[in-house]
Amino acid sequence: MDYKHLADSAIKAKQNALAIYSNFYVGAAVLTNEGKVYTGCNVESSSYSLTICAERTAIFKAISEGEREFKAIAVAGDTEDFISPCGACRQVISDLCGEIDIILVSSSGDYIVKKTSELLPFAFGDKDLE
Ligand code: THU
């Protein structure tokens, strides 16, 4: 599947990143099963641990608008190599999006596609809470 459009949405969302402490700007775009796109960026706090990543911003925006079924999420930073989502975001993607395509974008705009279970094998999840 061609994820160029989703990758471009993530790159565009990066423009809104509020990354005054790390100067590491990240954008994300999550695609619903029905084809709607929700974007997000990282938003940092002076109390550093309160910072939220771009991926979780995008996913929480979508969830809070009533979305529940997802197909893919694209993540873009300014890294020469393909950006890699942090562990916390991998957990949230696994919990809230399930087994979807995760599009990792490099600063040149190239991307690779991974599955949730590739980035978070042997995941903890709701099944473990039964
Ligand atoms: N960040 C993201 O937004 N997504 C990632 O996948 C990696 C890290 C943000 C968090 C923080 O604002 C900055 O990048 C540096 O860690």
Side-chain angles (χ1 to χ4, degrees):
M1 161 129 197
D2 181 6
Y3 283 118
K4 178 92 180 77
H5 178 74
L6 197 65
D8 285 344
S9 296
I11 292 168
K12 185 150 187 258
K14 178 162 57 80
Q15 291 174 358
N16 290 331
L18 202 159
I20 50 178
Y21 304 105
S22 71
N23 288 316
F24 191 82
Y25 297 81
V26 187
V30 65
L31 176 67
T32 72
N33 273 355
E34 289 181 342
K36 217 165 158 195
V37 173
Y38 293 82
T39 60
C41 60
N42 54 331
V43 182
E44 296 186 347
S45 166
S46 62
S47 182
Y48 299 159
S49 64
L50 300 182
T51 291
I52 186 162
C53 292
E55 298 91 315
R56 278 176 288 152
T57 304
I59 292 167
F60 293 160
K61 277 172 68 180
I63 293 279
S64 69
E65 293 298 320
E67 303 291 354
R68 291 294 184 272
E69 305 286 336
F70 301 98
K71 190 175 165 48
I73 185 168
V75 193
D78 291 322
T79 50
E80 222 174 275
D81 202 352
F82 303 108
I83 193 168
S84 182
C86 79
C89 288
R90 291 175 197 217
Q91 182 67 45
V92 168
I93 292 168
S94 174
D95 283 332
L96 301 181
C97 304
E99 182 73 341
I100 61 167
D101 289 336
I102 304 178
I103 320 312
L104 309 175
V105 186
S106 73
S107 55
S108 65
D110 291 340
Y111 64 82
I112 52 172
V113 182
K114 299 281 184 189
K115 287 283 181 191
T116 304
S117 60
E118 283 182 86
L119 296 189
L120 189 66
F122 200 60
F124 180 81
D126 51 9
K127 66 180 185 326
D128 299 299
L129 296 172
E130 278 161 13

